[in-house]
Amino acid sequence: MEAERLNSPSTSVITFEVLGHQLHFSQDPNSKHLGTTVWDTSMVFAKFLEKNCRKGRFCPSKLKGKRVIELGAGCGVAGFGMALLGCDVVSTDQIEVVPLLRRNVERNTSRILQMNSCSDSFGSIKVAELDWGNEDHIKAVGPPFDYVIGTDVVYAEHLVGPLLQTIITLSGPKTTIMLGHEIRSTSVHEQMLLTWKNFFEVKIVSKAKMDSKYQHPSIQLFIMGLKPPPVTADSAVCTEKQEKTDWGIDDQVNKTEISSSVDDLLVTRLPDGKLSEWYARRYGSMAARLLRDIKIT
């Protein structure tokens, strides 16, 4: 992958070969919505899976039947990468993008099954509407998932908080989060990384692990897991204070460079309205990390 793009957004259909299948993805050059374009990072993600599926955590024998949700799926490329390895995928996006996403899913699923109807290597893929932070949408898809994936879903700082909230609500203690990101803005990239490192154990995929053609210096892939909640007296005190008091946070909050919408995570409830013991501990640990450098008045 050189300086030129892998995909031109000016075409209405692109052909993409991955994991032995030639897939066709429609896109809308005339749309004003960013989700109707096949972005390069989704192709880098799918080709990364292809290169690393012969052994290890991404081989079909280990992924078969795993539940995956794709956020900001757009045209659906990354989700098909997981489905072709045996995962059961829910590809999600905003309502404006869902019709195009559904057409791509139906067309390519049909092609895959026609080419190899006897194969059990293909899992499944379906489409759902999901606005980040919408509790009804989140409840409808049935969390938690084994994998939460997304590519090129952060292009502005105000999206980091809602995305983080949604990822955590969709996740369980053993969920793996896989995100691809193309650096277009240094400030957005730094905000995103700082937030991820506050809440997740973050590993950046090396270029050597990526497909030799489908990579670029500006595109990074992240494999992450939720940080285990620390069981300490300090975190218990933070949780108790959260329950009993309203906070006053001075200007030092700016030093954390975390979107104010992340604060909402501390009072977010599970879709069924009940807060499990695991989530209670997690929100307590979030409070401890957010308040580490913040003065409480």
Side-chain angles (χ1 to χ4, degrees):
M1 179 177 172
E2 302 299 332
E4 68 271 10
R5 310 310 301 173
L6 286 169
N7 171 48
S8 169
S10 62
T11 60
S12 58
V13 179
I14 73 156
T15 299
F16 181 53
E17 185 174 341
V18 62
L19 290 160
H21 293 271
Q22 194 171 71
L23 306 180
H24 299 288
F25 293 94
S26 296
Q27 56 182 9
D28 186 355
N30 300 314
S31 172
K32 295 181 180 180
H33 201 293
L34 295 174
T36 58
T37 296
V38 174
W39 297 104
D40 288 355
T41 307
S42 65
M43 303 168 80
V44 171
F45 180 94
K47 283 293 191 178
F48 161 76
L49 293 175
E50 180 182 71
K51 181 174 180 177
N52 294 276
C53 70
R54 291 176 178 81
K55 61 180 180 179
R57 66 191 303 179
F58 299 118
C59 67
S61 62
K62 292 189 176 181
L63 287 180
K64 182 67 177 177
K66 296 294 185 183
R67 298 185 69 233
V68 177
I69 187 162
E70 181 181 10
L71 301 177
C75 297
V77 175
F80 268 99
M82 298 295 283
L84 284 167
L85 293 174
C87 297
D88 295 318
V89 179
V90 182
S91 290
T92 70
D93 214 311
Q94 296 175 313
I95 189 63
E96 297 87 354
V97 181
V98 164
L100 178 64
L101 175 59
R102 181 170 283 114
R103 286 201 303 273
N104 282 330
V105 166
E106 291 175 352
R107 171 199 288 177
N108 286 301
T109 298
S110 177
R111 287 178 60 86
I112 291 166
L113 295 178
Q114 286 176 7
M115 289 175 61
N116 199 354
S117 59
C118 297
S119 174
D120 62 353
S121 61
F122 182 68
S124 66
I125 184 166
K126 62 181 182 180
V127 175
E129 177 189 359
L130 197 157
D131 286 322
W132 298 346
N134 186 307
E135 292 187 3
D136 291 334
H137 291 175
I138 292 171
K139 181 179 180 180
V141 296
F145 288 84
D146 298 301
Y147 286 84
V148 177
I149 68 171
T151 56
D152 264 344
V153 289
V154 178
Y155 52 86
E157 292 183 22
H158 73 273
L159 297 173
V160 175
L163 175 60
L164 174 63
Q165 176 185 352
T166 301
I167 289 174
I168 290 177
T169 309
L170 291 167
S171 300
K174 296 183 179 180
T175 297
T176 298
I177 301 136
M178 300 176 64
L179 299 177
H181 178 70
E182 180 171 353
I183 303 172
R184 297 181 177 88
S185 163
T186 302
S187 62
V188 172
H189 181 67
E190 290 177 351
Q191 165 97 3
M192 183 192 73
L193 269 185
L194 180 64
T195 304
W196 291 168
K197 290 179 179 179
N198 267 283
F199 293 93
F200 306 123
E201 301 288 351
V202 180
K203 294 182 180 179
I204 301 176
V205 175
S206 69
K207 301 300 182 186
K209 291 287 187 180
M210 298 182 189
D211 182 273
S212 59
K213 176 183 177 183
Y214 288 83
Q215 60 173 267
H216 190 276
S218 295
I219 293 178
Q220 293 182 325
L221 300 180
F222 302 91
I223 299 177
M224 308 187 296
L226 291 166
K227 285 185 176 180
V231 183
T232 65
D234 289 342
S235 64
V237 169
C238 285
T239 304
E240 183 178 357
K241 286 184 178 180
Q242 175 194 335
E243 293 173 349
K244 293 183 178 179
T245 65
D246 292 326
W247 308 344
I249 300 177
D250 64 14
D251 290 339
Q252 291 185 33
V253 71
N254 294 328
K255 295 181 181 179
T256 67
E257 298 181 0
I258 297 176
S259 171
S260 60
S261 58
V262 176
D263 295 342
D264 296 337
L265 288 168
L266 303 176
V267 293
T268 300
R269 292 183 176 273
L270 292 178
D272 62 3
K274 298 179 180 179
L275 199 64
S276 69
E277 179 182 357
W278 187 86
Y279 272 87
R281 290 170 58 203
R282 169 142 301 282
Y283 292 149
S285 68
M286 289 178 191
R289 284 195 289 274
L290 282 171
L291 296 175
R292 187 179 299 143
D293 299 317
I294 297 174
K295 179 181 178 181
I296 301 178
T297 59

